[in-house]
């Protein structure tokens, strides 16, 4: 399977098509035979595994443990929390039967009508209901709290328009579900996990994010507050990259989960839930990659360094093999994942293009002249800059270079984003600016009515009410750009994925 | 939640009930609200995570990579391989609709009849069909082979009689699916992975297993050969703990997956698949545990060492805290997972019982006298033996003790099993012996007819035709105990889970 790089659409021509092609050409994922479901290919899954490992470590460092709850949820559970069912009913995959049988008319296998379930089961779109139905039996007293549980799982939402990683019917995610004795503790937990997500995005994915709280209209179905991290893609659109919800006592009330508090009184339990998914892969790809292919942050790249030999004879190859073996060993000693690709059925040019499209952060090339001179060519994927260096101490140089690349792509994404955050005061200006992409800070009167009108007229939504200040005066009160009613502070609008 | 140890049924009274109670009392898992589906609780999941990590390491060391394929499989895919659909059709969870709506009669949400799928989707009972349909697009030439892919996933089989871990409708597992250019290579792969499973069972789970090949009747639906590891539980019954299948070209033919070989000829691809599941948790529990609770092998125990203080005053507790902190740090430096439980809302006796039922391999207790004498009490969970030792060098002592426990419980299980492998020559003797449990080596004529008759009359099945010799003469030819027809060697019979 040849990598036909020249076929990759340029970002400036068609950003959306560039993304779709890149995901496939870089061997991350592909559409499956099942509508809306993707196959995550080994190279894509290797990145996801690195994300999982790091997130899992961060969850455990903040006191969480993993558990596993059922894939299927009784239909009646979904209905218990009114807003929750409203939010998910229209995209539920429904199991109605539990057996197939041979078609009496000889047409292969058919669903056995006698094996119809009394109550239909839903493939989990999210697990609040089944988990809170379980917690009911785990919680009696304040001594049983907090419960700090996370689950790594697949979930299913029957989306009509799907795109690899960004929006798929089945996706992989983690969902944390915690139970607390007090409102304050639950609210702290929701913010703590948002911060974990923010740290992960910035330090590992090298994706700058804006942390904030969602407007009522954009809240998770059943939450009192939804916190979010919002990233800006290279087309200026927002990608919601992770959310953390303060659920209040809604699910505890729906599933009757009460506990005896320290004052010996019965009280409903306070809850949070929080999740990130394979959608992060989309954020990773769209933040850093370029017209040559993926650009992966070294902290998540499955292969951090690739070494390619250029040789004129088998004898020369053997000499290079020997020389490179030492470099490989020393790189591995430094904890760097390195691949030496001396396969002789592919030309160096093909390998260069392949690792470039796959976003390997550092490429080392050794040829005959290098062998003589004790040198090696170093290319960094982010800038495509090449230089020839001595092999002495190359491993420490590469280690430092990886950190440099990590910092550089973060800074580049941050500069890009910050340059595209603007502030507007009038709705007319807003309508003009929103066409250019980017995040717009504007005053809003706090009503869902106004929010929906803006969405209807401009396709922009409120991404969040940010915690931090991005432009001078953000946090000062003003007047809604649409209605002129009072507004306590500016909020961030953008078109989004 | 008090641990009521005295309520645990004794193995000798009712082995099956002992198991069911133990899984719940030790906080490993519980039944969910969904028929046949379990909740894997944090303590149980922590053991499963350790299993996953080690298996994943072993898969990668043997050249495999992970990927992810869809949860749902089009019904028509299942029908492509005749034996395969025959094997799974009766236990399929079927998705027929993709939306719920509000009941027009006000009865909550109902399935929207207008959202009926054209073709029903099956929740994967195993993934050969969807994966081979995908491999079709990945394979053109021998250069694309081998494909060595593994998937960690949930699967669903609508079992009528379920038991926690041993047989559940939904379970977690890994499934390897490999594609090869030659028959020999595929057969080698199937055996290689069986050996990986065997090594894992013996070195990590401390569960001795018998490796062998299944009779035709016990093969995986669609396989030419199924290899198995069989373990003996403490009631003498067999537990099939992992299987590896040589699938021949069956799935390649069903999904038309051909490749151009080195001679430039079109050929069907050769396949294997192999899997272990959360059923291993059942094997782990039933092999080692006793009437006091779990006995966990140190190599898989989430908590390897627990330290409990016994104190008369807060001041004394502080002194013990200080002393223990050093021991904890030194144990952690040796890579040992240790928990210091100085919670003051539970009495030491409660803690002792709790960690005993949870199978923590080593317990250390420090009291006031110990503090004076620079000593600590050491208890090993496998034998319940206690001794008081000096704190000097205690960490190395504990490290060695953990290895000693690991070896000891393996040897104990091996001795138990080997003492219960017998050889019989007549069917009458077989019928008598099988009532006592254990594995029986007997001659069999190789026909499914005879095998089914034996199963019908004695509830015993052929567990495998073992690779190794267990009793003298096993591998010599003889006559079938039932029909008197010739038999090339003895095979292993047992009742099983």
């Amino acid at each position: 399977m040849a990598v036909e790089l020249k076929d990759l659409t340029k970002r400036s021509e068609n950003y959306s098509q560039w993304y779709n092609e890149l995901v496939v050409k870089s061997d991350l994922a592909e559409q499956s035979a099942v509508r809306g479901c993707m196959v995550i290919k080994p190279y894509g899954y290797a990145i996801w595994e690195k994300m999982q490992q790091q997130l899992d470590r961060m969850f455990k460092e903040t006191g969480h443990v993993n558990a596993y709850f059922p894939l299927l949820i009784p239909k009646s559970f979904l209905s218990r929390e009114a807003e929750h069912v409203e939010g998910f009913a229209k995209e539920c995959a429904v199991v109605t039967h539990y057996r197939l049988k041979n078609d009496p008319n000889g047409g292969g296998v058919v669903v056995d009508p006698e094996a119809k379930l009394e109550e239909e089961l839903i493939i989990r779109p999210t697990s609040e209901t089944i988990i809170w139905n379980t917690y009911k039996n785990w919680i009696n007293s304040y001594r049983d709290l907090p419960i700090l549980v996370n689950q790594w799982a697949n979930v299913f939402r029957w989306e009509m328009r799907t795109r690899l990683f960004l929006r798929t019917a089945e996706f992989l995610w983690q969902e944390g579900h915690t139970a607390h004795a007090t409102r304050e503790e639950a609210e702290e937990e929701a913010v703590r996990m948002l911060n974990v997500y923010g740290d992960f995005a910035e330090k590992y994915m090298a994706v700058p994010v804006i942390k904030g709280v969602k407007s009522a209209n954009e809240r998770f179905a059943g939450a009192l507050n939804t916190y979010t991290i919002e990233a800006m893609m290279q087309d200026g659109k927002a990608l919601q990259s992770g959310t953390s919800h303060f659920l209040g006592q809604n699910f505890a009330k729906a599933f009757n989960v009460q506990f005896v508090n320290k004052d010996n009184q019965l009280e409903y339990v306070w809850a949070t839930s929080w999740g990130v998914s394979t959608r992060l892969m989309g954020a990773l790809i769209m933040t850093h990659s370029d017209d040559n292919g993926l650009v992966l942050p070294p902290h998540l790249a499955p292969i951090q360094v690739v070494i390619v030999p250029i040789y004129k004879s088998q004898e020369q190859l053997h000499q290079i093999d020997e020389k490179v073996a030492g470099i490989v060993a020393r790189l591995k000693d430094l904890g760097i994942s390195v691949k030496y690709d001396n396969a002789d059925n592919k030309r160096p040019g093909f390998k260069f293009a392949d690792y470039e499209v796959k976003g390997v952060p550092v490429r080392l090339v050794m040829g005959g002249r290098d062998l003589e001179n004790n040198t090696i060519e170093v290319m960094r994927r982010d800038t495509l800059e090449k230089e020839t260096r001595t092999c002495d101490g190359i491993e420490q140089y590469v280690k430092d270079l990886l950190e440099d690349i990590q910092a550089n792509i973060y800074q580049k994404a941050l500069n890009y984003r910050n340059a595209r955050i603007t502030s507007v005061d009038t709705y007319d200006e807003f309508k003009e600016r929103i066409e250019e992409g980017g995040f717009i800070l504007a005053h809003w009167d706090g009503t869902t009515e106004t929010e929906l009108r803006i969405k209807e007229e401009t396709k922009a939504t409120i991404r969040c009410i940010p915690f931090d200040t991005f432009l001078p005066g953000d946090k000062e009160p003003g007047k809604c750009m649409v209605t002129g009613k009072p507004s306590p502070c500016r909020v961030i609008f953008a078109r989004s994925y």
Side-chain angles (χ1 to χ4, degrees), chain A:
Chain A
M1 288 175 287
V3 178
E4 287 153 32
L5 239 185
K6 56 186 171 223
D7 292 348
L8 185 61
T9 297
K10 287 193 167 29
R11 286 166 295 171
S12 56
E13 285 168 22
N14 187 332
Y15 190 79
S16 172
Q17 196 174 321
W18 164 81
Y19 174 82
N20 294 343
E21 288 175 9
L22 179 54
V23 171
V24 173
K25 277 183 201 289
S26 59
D27 251 0
L28 297 180
E30 64 184 37
Q31 298 291 354
S32 78
V34 184
R35 210 191 133 284
C37 294
M38 65 182 159
V39 172
I40 306 179
K41 297 182 77 173
Y43 192 60
Y45 200 85
I47 300 172
W48 175 242
E49 270 183 311
K50 290 218 149 210
M51 289 187 175
Q52 282 188 301
Q53 283 160 12
Q54 182 53 34
L55 284 165
D56 200 70
R57 208 172 292 136
M58 294 169 92
F59 298 157
K60 283 173 178 158
E61 279 166 9
T62 44
H64 302 84
V65 290
N66 289 325
Y68 189 77
F69 297 87
L71 170 71
L72 300 180
I73 298 178
K75 194 191 66 180
S76 59
F77 281 23
L78 271 191
S79 320
R80 297 264 193 102
E81 213 289 330
E83 286 183 21
H84 192 70
V85 66
E86 179 74 20
F88 290 104
K90 285 180 188 139
E91 47 191 41
C92 284
V94 190
V95 176
T96 56
H97 292 74
Y98 57 84
R99 196 164 62 217
L100 300 174
K101 65 167 190 174
N102 286 319
D103 183 355
N105 305 317
V109 288
V110 293
V111 177
D112 185 344
E114 287 178 23
K116 190 171 191 307
L117 289 169
E118 275 184 44
E119 179 180 5
E120 295 90 351
L121 298 168
I122 311 302
I123 300 182
R124 59 181 165 220
T126 179
S127 301
E128 279 77 6
T129 59
I130 187 84
I131 287 179
W132 278 87
N133 186 68
T134 307
Y135 282 177
K136 185 172 53 186
N137 303 317
W138 294 5
I139 300 168
N140 291 305
S141 135
Y142 69 92
R143 287 188 199 86
D144 302 321
L145 297 171
I147 292 178
L148 302 173
V149 163
N150 175 61
Q151 160 170 283
W152 289 96
N154 52 346
V155 285
F156 208 96
R157 297 174 188 178
W158 206 283
E159 301 279 358
M160 279 303 145
R161 296 178 61 185
T162 63
R163 291 185 72 189
L164 292 170
F165 291 123
L166 295 175
R167 194 172 294 277
T168 49
E170 183 190 14
F171 55 93
L172 304 184
W173 79 345
Q174 60 68 218
E175 45 181 327
H177 294 273
T178 68
H180 305 267
T182 67
R183 178 182 184 116
E184 294 66 38
E185 202 185 294
E187 285 187 320
E188 275 168 26
E189 166 78 4
V191 173
R192 179 182 304 119
M193 298 322 289
L194 188 79
N195 286 326
V196 164
Y197 290 158
D199 284 354
F200 174 75
E202 303 201 330
K203 291 181 189 155
Y204 292 87
M205 296 174 63
V207 171
V209 292
I210 292 180
K211 295 183 236 177
V213 62
K214 287 283 185 189
S215 63
N217 181 56
E218 297 278 337
R219 260 179 218 147
F220 175 75
L224 296 195
N225 250 335
T226 286
Y227 301 102
T228 182
I229 52 171
E230 300 282 329
M232 188 192 289
M233 304 298 100
Q234 292 178 62
D235 58 353
K237 284 168 78 175
L239 186 85
Q240 177 181 305
S241 303
T243 49
S244 181
H245 317 293
F246 169 59
L247 303 172
Q249 296 173 311
N250 284 352
F251 288 92
K253 284 178 181 166
F255 290 89
N256 196 27
V257 188
Q258 291 180 291
F259 72 104
V260 178
N261 67 19
K262 284 186 179 171
D263 303 327
N264 215 29
Q265 287 172 321
L266 218 51
E267 205 181 327
Y268 285 106
V269 179
W270 298 88
T272 82
S273 66
W274 29 274
V276 293
S277 72
T278 37
R279 193 169 212 227
L280 287 180
M281 294 287 295
L284 189 75
I285 298 161
M286 285 207 294
T287 300
H288 306 300
S289 303
D290 61 25
D291 293 345
N292 297 316
L294 293 181
V295 174
L296 293 180
H299 291 179
L300 294 176
I303 304 168
Q304 294 175 305
V305 178
V306 66
I307 309 180
V308 178
I310 300 184
Y311 51 94
K312 296 201 176 110
S313 65
Q314 282 300 313
E315 197 200 329
Q316 199 177 50
L317 175 60
H318 288 317
Q319 289 172 329
I320 296 176
D321 284 353
E322 242 173 68
K323 179 85 179 172
V324 168
I327 297 173
V328 167
R330 289 192 296 276
L331 285 169
K332 284 189 177 165
D333 282 349
L334 292 176
I336 294 167
S337 80
V338 53
K339 176 176 175 179
Y340 177 45
D341 185 353
N342 63 352
D344 65 358
N345 57 353
K346 289 170 198 154
R347 282 169 304 107
F350 175 91
K351 293 178 188 175
F352 293 171
D354 190 28
Y355 294 114
E356 212 164 290
V357 81
K358 288 205 165 79
V360 175
V362 172
R363 184 186 80 200
L364 304 179
V365 178
M366 185 171 282
R369 183 69 62 88
D370 290 312
L371 203 56
E372 279 171 30
N373 299 343
N374 188 39
T375 57
I376 197 159
E377 186 194 86
V378 181
M379 191 190 80
R380 53 187 290 175
R381 175 63 185 87
D382 58 340
T383 62
L384 298 174
E385 285 164 355
K386 277 189 266 192
E387 57 174 333
T388 296
R389 291 193 65 88
T390 170
C391 290
D392 299 339
I394 190 69
E395 53 279 359
Q396 188 59 46
Y397 180 78
V398 166
K399 189 178 164 74
D400 296 341
L401 180 58
L402 288 168
E403 288 309 312
D404 189 36
I405 294 171
Q406 180 81 26
N408 179 56
I409 64 173
Y410 174 75
Q411 192 58 46
K412 196 175 155 192
L414 185 66
N415 293 347
Y416 176 90
R417 184 199 73 186
N418 286 348
R420 278 158 194 78
I421 302 181
T422 53
S423 188
V424 309
D425 289 317
T426 71
Y427 194 32
D428 282 344
E429 196 186 347
F430 181 88
K431 286 179 189 166
E432 229 170 79
R433 283 281 181 83
I434 201 71
E435 295 299 326
E436 296 158 19
F439 291 178
I440 300 180
L441 282 157
H443 282 292
W444 157 67
D445 65 15
T447 69
T448 297
E449 195 190 346
T450 303
E451 188 179 357
L452 291 178
R453 179 179 155 193
I454 296 169
K455 185 177 179 182
E456 172 77 22
E457 293 175 351
T458 69
K459 293 184 197 143
T461 50
I462 297 174
R463 302 318 305 158
C464 67
I465 301 144
F467 294 158
D468 297 330
T469 297
F470 289 91
L471 291 174
D474 283 5
K475 297 295 180 199
E476 285 163 24
K479 286 181 178 169
C480 175
M481 62 172 174
V482 180
T483 63
K485 289 184 192 161
S487 150
C489 66
R490 290 174 193 267
V491 303
I492 290 189
F493 287 90
R495 289 182 180 158
S496 73
Y497 281 93

